[in-house]
Amino acid sequence: MVGSYLLAQVTDWLASGRNLFLAIHVLGVACFAYIVARRLVPLLRAERDPRWDRPLARLSKVCKFWLGQWKHPRYKTAGTLHILIFAGFILLATRAFTVLIVGVSENFVMPGLSGEAGHIYNIITDYAATVVFLCMVVAVIRRLIFKPGRYEVPERFGKTHKADAVFLLALIAILMVADSLFAAAKAAGQSQQGQPVEFLAVLSLPWLLQVALASASLPTLGNVYFGAYLLHEITFYFLLCYRPFGIQFHVETSLFNVYFAKLERGTLKPVKWGVSDERLDQVKSFGVKTYEDFTWKHMLDFYSCADCGRCSDNCPANAVGRPLSPRFIGIKARDYAYQHYPMFGRSGNGKALIGNIYSEDEIWSCTTCGACEEECPLLVEYIDKIVDLRRGMVDDGNVPQSLQKPLKALESRGNPYGKMEKKRADWANAKEFQQVCPVKTVGKGDSADLLYFVDSITSYDDRMQSIGRTTARILDHLGENFGILGAAEKDSGHEVRRFGEETLFAALRDHNAGAIKASGAKRIVTADPHAFNALKHDYKDIPPVQHISQVIASEVKAGKIKFNALENKTNVYTYHDPCYLGRHNQVYDDPRDVLDAIPGLKRVEMTRSKDRSFCCGGGGLMLFYEPKEEERMGVKRVQMAVNAGANVIVTACPFCMVNIEDAIKVAGLEGKMSAIDLAELVDQQIAREEPQAA
Amino acid sequence: MEILVCARRVPDTSENEIELNSAGNDIEHDELVYSINEADNYAVEEALQIVARVGGNVTVVTVGGEGDEEVLRREMAMGANHGVLITDDAFSGSDGRGIATILKAFVQKGNYDLILTGVQAEAGGAQVGGMLSALLDYPFASLVNSIEVLDGRKLKISREIEGGNKELHEIDLPCVLSIQTGINEPRYVGMRGIRAVASVPIPTFSASELALDPSVVGEAAAKVKRVDYFVPALGKGAEMLHGNREENVDRVLELVAAKGGLK
């Protein structure tokens, strides 16, 4: 009799608060719905961005990057913490909802979690809550004591975000404690009354609290139970409604941000989705000038940024003290959105972003190397935003003087140097070279199966012409029927497009595409990763394109290229991944395989290699831009090669060669460090005669 | 303020390899690409900035042929309200004074408060601005590198003096100013901007429409004639320093000091 009375008591402990709990539920859900609706307002005014295609590809991204937390282990401590917290949240979601419902319907059991399954789930989540709680403790300690540098906010970007971060961590910790206390008080009460006790996982937070509460009186336990419920409910809804104001909104938005993430690497968004190239001239304004010119997905990116600082930690522009920090491209836009789309009252009208929240130099500082995007656990896009902001500046005539001349030259001469078109093939037509390696110019009666797209820098720059000649000699050695476009080739326009000059790019692309098609070539090869990326992703309906390193690698594998052993065996080589070969096109192994096939070549890796390669300073028009910086990216890169113990840097891009050779001089390492292009090295080592049998 | 900018199309020195023709009295014009004379572009930008501050219109005028429409369109794409082409067979071969005479006739048809020219054309003699002001009996200032509009039809301008010094003047409107490069940062004009003004009609004026006596312009009236054009023989080459870095730095300092570059 007594037992049943007390049993009723335990389950009735919440009964007196039922109306209060229900009111908090309604209020919490209503507030959250209102806040989310207000947050959606700018997204509804944003530019269109069709991301509803290819659901399977998107779901697999969700599995890998959201559920699988793919990027997180790249930062070991923070990544491990995040994986644990994320897993805890996923596991605890059902438990949290069950607890919430219990307040208004005390006997509620989540379908599927009655009986044995429920007990197992409870044990797992006891530990999950404990782990999340401990992670919060560690995270707060990191924020307050160890202070990882990437969380710092440079003065020019405002105040530190530390207080907000710690506050949010504390709230989660409180939520875990409340949840555990709720289970502990119930178990302690059941135990005191000799009822079947829900088994609490040994040494978990609920278990410890149960031990602590073991001797508490029943009414005290009742109050603790009630209080824990209330604390849990209020904290839950407070967090839910507070997150959309701070750095934790990604808890809600990340799933959508990853699902709608960009699917194609190396590509750029069009000026306006749904507007064909032919109708582009009718578009009134190009690019992003006001906040509303961003697409809705880009706004979702701003909401989703977790302020983890990994983008800027990897950004070469940030590393050399340029005014750009990708993290704050997002944070500043989010602050702007929160300010101009407030919770109450009218939303502000579009103010120009450049000059207000972004500076011109900040936006021109980006080399579009992609290190930020490679690192972002939430797949936030940066390059498209930078390019859209540049398109806006170009449209307003707001282009640095140093870039205006090369752009004008690209318009009138098809190359940024203003050199004569008829001299574009001079590198190949020099008599001495034609005798060793005849290079056809296709189009005038001559045809070729393989087109070598040379691009401007290799055509005109005295130093880089060597890359052109060695590439031609390799193709010649392979017996390829190849040719070049000569004067009919114009700049690929890769950087023209990435610097926001879409109209000029389209003119260059149309010209080249026409010349390529007229050449009748079946395949294209280039030794310039920028041209490679342009032809592969920015051009349409042209033959397939390969980078010369891919061609060499497959011919090495097929045994058609054999190498002589290196004469100098003391050299230590390291391979520098060009951004547009590596990160943007995932060609990491081919150049390394080629190097490893050269007998006697000793190769080391720099710490920052492959997808974490450090941009050497940027290509194309970036060579003309005069950035505000403390140091050159190339100098930092050369230093990394020194630290790796190398004395020869191999790269596979003419722009990398410009930057690295300059940097070697600036760093005072002439004679101690040298740079060579993969094509040059291959041409030098290729065994042109069959090796004699020993 | 109604502003007239006199502009000229020139072979772009940074995008051409200038070669002499076989007669040796002019450059080879085949395969040249042209652009607006750089200083004139700064003048147009300055005019646009003045108009943005105080209101008014910018008209860009050039004396030339059909091909010169290209630069007018570029300046209209920058924001100039009107482009005007003055063209007549009778004008060909005009010297600086001839061009100034033609421009004077055009200026008198309108009502301009301020006339800007580039400080000089890349292939010219820095004559037209001064001559135009004299023919119009307007005040003139050359090498102007800043303009401020004052009340009461006056401008405050600064001029660049040898050695980088500046002097400030007040000048009455209407006046003629020749504009120094570096006075501003001209805005960028791309293909898109030019296409947007591609179909805007450009009015043309002939000698008779400007009531100009053909005998005072053109080759026959020119009193300055080019008789030769040549590339000067190369002087002594650069001196290469062959020491290590520290030695080279010391040597460079020595050389610069010896030439009076360091005080």
Side-chain angles (χ1 to χ4, degrees):
Chain A
M1 198 56 207
V2 170
S4 71
Y5 166 74
L6 283 171
L7 176 65
Q9 277 256 319
V10 172
T11 48
D12 275 359
W13 277 349
L14 295 178
S16 62
R18 200 172 294 159
N19 289 339
L20 173 68
F21 301 148
L22 189 61
I24 296 174
H25 279 323
V26 172
L27 189 68
V29 171
C31 278
F32 181 67
Y34 176 78
I35 292 165
V36 168
R38 295 293 293 194
R39 286 283 180 254
L40 286 173
V41 170
L43 270 68
L44 297 173
R45 289 191 195 168
E47 282 292 318
R48 61 178 297 210
D49 197 345
R51 308 235 185 184
W52 308 94
D53 59 332
R54 300 167 66 185
L56 288 179
R58 296 185 181 283
L59 281 173
S60 84
K61 279 214 146 174
V62 166
C63 290
K64 182 173 174 183
F65 294 104
W66 187 78
L67 200 58
Q69 299 277 290
W70 190 260
K71 301 269 190 190
H72 274 285
R74 295 166 72 94
Y75 278 77
K76 288 213 173 60
T77 315
T80 309
L81 281 176
H82 193 275
I83 290 169
L84 290 172
I85 297 165
F86 177 82
F89 272 33
I90 295 288
L91 290 170
L92 285 162
T94 308
R95 173 156 160 163
F97 283 113
T98 309
V99 170
L100 290 174
I101 297 167
V102 163
V104 285
S105 170
E106 56 266 56
N107 294 318
F108 175 78
V109 176
M110 197 59 86
L113 287 183
S114 52
E116 202 57 32
H119 293 305
I120 295 170
Y121 177 72
N122 281 340
I123 290 172
I124 293 171
T125 49
D126 282 348
Y127 284 128
T130 313
V131 167
V132 171
F133 176 79
L134 291 174
C135 285
M136 291 304 133
V137 175
V138 176
V140 168
I141 292 172
R142 282 185 80 234
R143 279 275 184 178
L144 294 182
I145 295 168
F146 294 100
K147 298 179 190 163
R150 67 175 187 279
Y151 298 143
E152 297 296 321
V153 179
E155 209 170 307
R156 65 183 191 278
F157 294 124
K159 291 198 193 91
T160 169
H161 305 157
K162 192 193 286 173
D164 196 37
V166 170
F167 180 55
L168 281 157
L169 293 171
L171 283 174
I172 295 172
I174 290 170
L175 195 67
M176 294 303 118
V177 171
D179 175 278
S180 302
L181 200 56
F182 185 68
K186 184 177 179 182
Q190 286 169 333
S191 148
Q192 283 193 19
Q193 293 163 73
Q195 293 171 1
V197 178
E198 178 66 46
F199 178 74
L200 296 182
V202 178
L203 286 176
S204 69
L205 192 57
W207 183 85
L208 290 169
L209 290 167
Q210 186 202 4
V211 171
L213 290 172
S215 57
S217 68
L218 268 182
T220 307
L221 287 175
N223 288 339
V224 169
Y225 190 62
F226 189 96
Y229 182 86
L230 199 58
L231 181 65
H232 179 270
E233 191 185 24
I234 290 173
T235 312
F236 180 88
Y237 283 114
F238 182 80
L239 256 176
L240 191 66
C241 295
Y242 181 68
R243 276 199 296 256
F245 294 88
I247 59 178
Q248 270 194 17
F249 199 13
H250 75 276
V251 173
E252 277 80 25
T253 61
S254 58
L255 176 61
F256 303 100
N257 213 55
V258 172
Y259 182 83
F260 291 115
K262 187 171 179 168
L263 294 176
E264 306 294 349
R265 281 173 183 274
T267 58
L268 281 185
K269 77 174 269 289
V271 171
K272 256 189 202 308
W273 283 105
V275 176
S276 66
D277 284 350
E278 296 74 42
R279 287 173 46 234
L280 213 49
D281 275 345
Q282 294 158 28
V283 173
K284 278 222 169 62
S285 170
F286 271 27
V288 169
K289 295 175 185 173
T290 66
Y291 186 71
E292 294 71 19
D293 292 329
F294 281 119
T295 76
W296 65 265
K297 174 58 174 59
H298 288 174
M299 293 185 183
L300 187 64
D301 278 349
F302 298 142
Y303 289 161
S304 301
C305 172
D307 200 31
C308 72
R310 294 173 199 213
C311 48
S312 295
D313 200 29
N314 285 275
C315 172
N318 187 50
V320 297
R322 291 193 187 187
L324 172 69
S325 170
R327 174 184 170 205
F328 291 95
I329 294 291
I331 299 283
K332 287 195 283 186
R334 178 162 73 198
D335 290 347
Y336 177 94
Y338 288 178
Q339 199 188 338
H340 288 79
Y341 287 89
M343 279 298 127
F344 306 102
R346 293 172 64 86
S347 39
N349 54 344
K351 220 169 47 165
L353 296 175
I354 301 289
N356 284 308
I357 69 167
Y358 302 132
S359 75
E360 293 168 31
D361 286 328
E362 189 176 359
I363 303 305
W364 294 117
S365 284
C366 173
T367 65
T368 69
C369 77
C372 48
E373 297 188 357
E374 189 67 40
E375 212 61 46
C376 182
L378 290 153
L379 309 188
V380 166
E381 292 148 28
Y382 292 94
I383 295 174
D384 277 343
K385 291 178 191 126
I386 294 275
V387 170
D388 257 350
L389 284 159
R390 288 175 176 175
R391 284 170 177 162
M393 288 198 281
V394 169
D395 200 38
D396 285 343
N398 202 355
V399 176
Q401 299 299 313
S402 59
L403 295 177
Q404 292 199 16
K405 271 211 159 69
L407 282 167
K408 168 77 178 25
L410 280 156
E411 186 187 318
S412 47
R413 290 285 191 207
N415 69 79
Y417 315 103
K419 300 266 176 107
M420 309 280 272
E421 294 89 331
K422 64 178 179 192
K423 301 207 163 173
R424 199 170 177 103
D426 279 6
W427 65 271
N429 293 336
K431 256 200 194 115
E432 316 82 71
F433 183 68
Q434 278 286 4
Q435 282 166 3
V436 234
C437 177
V439 178
K440 284 189 283 193
T441 299
V442 296
K444 289 174 189 154
D446 257 333
S447 69
D449 298 331
L450 176 66
L451 178 72
Y452 171 28
F453 193 93
V454 189
D455 219 347
S456 301
I457 188 166
T458 313
S459 297
Y460 289 113
D461 185 286
D462 288 346
R463 164 67 185 89
M464 301 317 143
Q465 288 178 348
S466 149
I467 298 176
R469 292 196 194 102
T470 50
T471 303
R473 280 166 57 93
I474 294 165
L475 295 174
D476 184 55
H477 173 78
L478 291 171
E480 292 281 2
N481 172 17
F482 76 101
I484 58 172
L485 291 172
E489 181 189 290
K490 290 191 179 207
D491 194 276
S492 68
H494 189 259
E495 264 58 41
V496 173
R497 189 164 195 225
R498 278 150 190 82
F499 274 69
E501 225 308 14
E502 187 75 14
T503 316
L504 177 55
F505 164 73
L508 294 167
R509 178 199 57 200
D510 293 348
H511 170 92
N512 282 331
I516 290 168
K517 278 182 224 165
S519 76
K522 310 276 186 304
R523 296 185 295 133
I524 306 173
V525 75
T526 178
D528 180 338
H530 294 247
F532 174 59
N533 193 63
L535 294 171
K536 198 169 162 194
H537 295 300
D538 296 340
Y539 285 47
K540 295 221 163 52
D541 306 323
I542 56 166
V545 54
Q546 278 186 302
H547 184 262
I548 188 70
S549 63
Q550 297 174 300
V551 176
I552 300 168
S554 72
E555 298 295 351
V556 167
K557 259 181 219 125
K560 278 176 81 178
I561 291 182
K562 293 201 168 58
F563 293 115
N564 296 320
L566 274 180
E567 275 178 26
N568 182 337
K569 301 235 168 26
T570 56
N571 279 339
V572 181
Y573 290 73
T574 190
Y575 175 70
H576 162 74
D577 291 274
C579 308
Y580 276 98
L581 193 58
R583 251 186 317 258
H584 290 290
N585 287 294
Q586 308 280 289
V587 180
Y588 298 119
D589 296 333
D590 285 344
R592 289 177 168 81
D593 292 347
V594 172
L595 290 177
D596 294 343
I598 298 175
L601 186 142
K602 185 167 176 238
R603 184 170 71 82
V604 292
E605 283 288 357
M606 290 183 269
T607 319
R608 290 196 61 171
S609 62
K610 298 195 173 175
D611 62 2
R612 261 195 179 157
S613 181
F614 187 86
C615 177
C616 63
L621 288 165
M622 198 40 97
L623 296 184
F624 295 86
Y625 177 64
E626 293 156 7
K628 292 183 178 135
E629 60 189 6
E630 291 155 13
E631 195 183 358
R632 291 196 197 187
M633 293 178 193
V635 173
K636 264 200 174 330
R637 189 53 167 162
V638 170
Q639 213 58 55
M640 292 179 198
V642 172
N643 295 342
N647 66 342
V648 183
I649 302 174
V650 184
T651 184
C653 167
F655 299 110
C656 292
M657 186 57 76
V658 172
N659 289 318
I660 290 174
E661 285 196 332
D662 276 357
I664 289 173
K665 290 181 195 138
V666 173
L669 289 168
E670 266 175 300
K672 294 176 199 142
M673 177 70 77
S674 63
I676 189 168
D677 190 87
L678 185 74
E680 293 174 334
L681 182 62
V682 165
D683 178 58
Q684 175 194 306
Q685 293 307 124
I686 218 163
R688 289 196 158 76
E689 309 292 324
E690 272 305 306
Q692 311 235 320
Chain B
M1 188 173 299
E2 294 299 310
I3 306 177
L4 179 69
V5 184
C6 309
R8 181 170 166 187
R9 188 178 74 134
V10 295
D12 194 320
T13 46
S14 64
E15 294 171 33
N16 290 301
E17 289 173 22
I18 306 290
E19 287 167 9
L20 288 188
N21 66 5
S22 49
N25 60 357
D26 200 354
I27 58 173
E28 194 59 66
H29 285 270
D30 294 346
E31 297 188 335
L32 286 186
V33 292
Y34 294 87
S35 59
I36 185 169
N37 177 48
E38 196 176 8
D40 301 349
N41 198 46
Y42 282 84
V44 173
E45 175 66 37
E46 194 59 23
L48 292 171
Q49 292 189 11
I50 293 171
V51 163
R53 289 198 297 269
V54 302
N57 285 294
V58 177
T59 304
V60 181
V61 64
T62 191
V63 179
E66 231 171 78
D68 295 286
E69 269 199 20
E70 169 197 352
V71 297
L72 293 174
R73 297 232 180 262
R74 191 166 277 273
E75 301 314 291
M76 286 158 73
M78 269 175 92
N81 306 76
H82 312 285
V84 176
L85 177 65
I86 304 179
T87 179
D88 200 306
D89 290 343
F91 297 154
S92 79
S94 294
D95 61 4
R97 181 186 151 112
I99 301 288
T101 307
I102 298 161
L103 288 171
K104 177 203 170 195
F106 176 74
V107 170
Q108 287 178 331
K109 283 186 79 79
N111 188 23
Y112 300 102
D113 303 298
L114 175 62
I115 298 161
L116 303 180
T117 69
V119 69
Q120 67 172 72
E122 277 155 37
Q127 306 173 14
V128 172
M131 288 189 181
L132 176 60
S133 71
L135 290 172
L136 288 163
D137 199 17
Y138 283 4
F140 174 66
S142 61
L143 295 155
V144 171
N145 61 9
S146 86
I147 301 176
E148 187 188 331
V149 180
L150 303 176
D151 293 337
R153 295 190 59 74
K154 270 184 196 303
L155 300 178
K156 188 172 169 187
I157 56 160
S158 86
R159 297 180 61 246
E160 192 179 323
I161 307 300
E162 188 62 38
N165 298 339
K166 283 184 178 185
E167 61 178 28
L168 287 175
H169 300 270
E170 273 188 14
I171 188 165
D172 288 347
L173 292 172
C175 67
V176 180
L177 305 176
S178 82
I179 301 297
Q180 179 67 292
T181 57
I183 186 172
N184 50 42
E185 295 206 336
R187 66 201 68 186
Y188 173 75
V189 177
M191 283 174 147
R192 175 169 144 81
I194 295 168
R195 272 188 216 162
V197 295
S199 54
V200 178
I202 291 185
T204 60
F205 288 86
S206 64
S208 61
E209 284 164 304
L210 293 175
L212 268 170
D213 177 357
S215 69
V216 299
V217 293
E219 198 168 356
K223 291 181 175 149
V224 180
K225 290 195 172 79
R226 177 162 58 219
V227 292
D228 198 3
Y229 193 109
F230 64 96
V231 181
L234 285 177
K236 198 168 148 251
E239 181 182 348
M240 298 302 290
L241 303 178
H242 296 286
N244 64 31
R245 200 163 21 160
E246 283 70 27
E247 288 163 10
N248 287 347
V249 168
D250 291 343
R251 181 79 186 119
V252 165
L253 286 173
E254 240 171 67
L255 286 170
V256 175
K259 300 277 178 195
L262 285 175
K263 282 168 190 158

